[in-house]
Amino acid sequence: MPDERLAAFRQILETAAGPDDILVSRFIAGQTAVGLAQQLLEIIRAWRTEAPGMTGAGLALALATARASPRPRPPQVVVSGPMSASVPARLTSGVAVEVIRSATTSLLIASFAAHGARDVVREVARAVDRGVQVDLLLEESTQATAAFAALPRGVRIWHRAEAVGVLHAKLIVADRHTALLGSANLTDRALSDNIELGVVLRDPHVVEPLIEHFHWLLTPENNVMRRA
């Protein structure tokens, strides 16, 4: 709901005795923006059903509180290869560097293959220099470790502990707040030229369970991943 319409609605609510107040009905009937009247009717319906004894001033305060609460940023589409105007998107190469750069305490990166990707390797090295703990989960059969050979000491590299299956995930997680996941490996072609698709998640409520899953995979007792 637009901020100015919400402010006007809250002003009406301040003097409303209840959900059936005539001023509220008139305000809703006067809305011409597509879908806005229906949104307001849903609020009134919930008010009438869930808290009919609450005053309009109480509902206005509840709406103001909800509006002031931090809201997670929506997922962002990222692509490699040709870009169209159909979907707002950013290139994988730039977003990967941005996510790595945002890490302040921890960085978890998983990739099936790795080759070149100098900008990514450079940003990982800078993250190590500023004290970020880096975990690289790489597929051993693709010799992906070689791409990160120049990284400073302290980077933890992990491979699959068992011969069954491969590590095929592609993931970059900064701290517990931002995750880039998609189809692109950490190769020059995948980050820029191939047709790849991914998404950036910036909602900690979504990112935290994801990182907890990978921490479980790295726990030695679970015998899923091993240090290289």
Side-chain angles (χ1 to χ4, degrees):
M1 186 184 304
D3 288 339
E4 69 277 5
R5 289 292 81 199
L6 180 60
F9 184 48
R10 284 167 44 201
Q11 189 173 7
I12 294 294
L13 290 174
E14 290 288 352
T15 60
D20 297 312
D21 192 291
I22 187 63
L23 292 177
V24 174
S25 300
R26 287 176 179 172
F27 178 83
I28 294 175
Q31 303 309 306
T32 57
V34 176
L36 183 54
Q38 186 59 40
Q39 287 182 323
L40 295 173
L41 285 172
E42 290 296 330
I43 293 174
I44 299 305
R45 187 175 296 112
W47 183 11
R48 185 182 298 113
T49 302
E50 303 295 335
M54 183 171 63
T55 65
L59 179 57
L61 178 60
L63 289 174
T65 301
R67 194 68 171 188
S69 300
R71 287 174 289 176
R73 295 169 64 183
Q76 177 187 27
V77 174
V78 297
V79 299
S80 299
M83 296 183 69
S84 72
S86 301
V87 179
R90 295 180 58 198
L91 281 173
T92 308
S93 54
V95 175
V97 167
E98 181 182 280
V99 172
I100 295 170
R101 195 172 288 166
S102 72
T104 59
T105 59
S106 63
L107 190 60
L108 187 147
I109 299 176
S111 187
F112 173 74
H115 183 267
R118 291 177 179 82
D119 290 344
V120 168
V121 176
R122 187 181 302 114
E123 283 303 324
V124 172
R126 289 172 177 169
V128 174
D129 289 343
R130 63 177 181 268
V132 175
Q133 175 60 62
V134 178
D135 288 286
L136 297 178
L137 287 65
L138 303 170
E139 171 54 33
E140 190 171 18
S141 66
T142 64
Q143 290 80 50
T145 305
F148 300 95
L151 287 180
R153 292 193 174 194
V155 174
R156 298 187 297 201
I157 297 178
W158 304 82
H159 297 314
R160 279 292 306 266
E162 300 177 356
V164 178
V166 297
L167 188 148
H168 204 253
K170 293 91 176 179
L171 173 74
I172 301 175
V173 183
D175 303 335
R176 304 176 73 86
H177 55 69
T178 305
L180 166 62
L181 56 157
S183 62
N185 285 301
L186 294 179
T187 67
D188 292 329
R189 285 188 175 181
L191 292 172
S192 300
D193 300 325
N194 294 350
I195 295 177
E196 308 277 2
L197 179 65
V199 65
V200 180
L201 306 174
R202 291 188 173 90
D203 183 351
H205 292 95
V206 178
V207 175
E208 287 185 358
L210 181 66
I211 197 69
E212 287 300 330
H213 170 68
F214 275 86
H215 284 169
W216 180 87
L217 294 176
L218 299 183
T219 303
E221 292 79 6
N222 295 324
N223 197 36
V224 177
M225 305 293 296
R226 59 176 174 79
R227 289 281 297 273

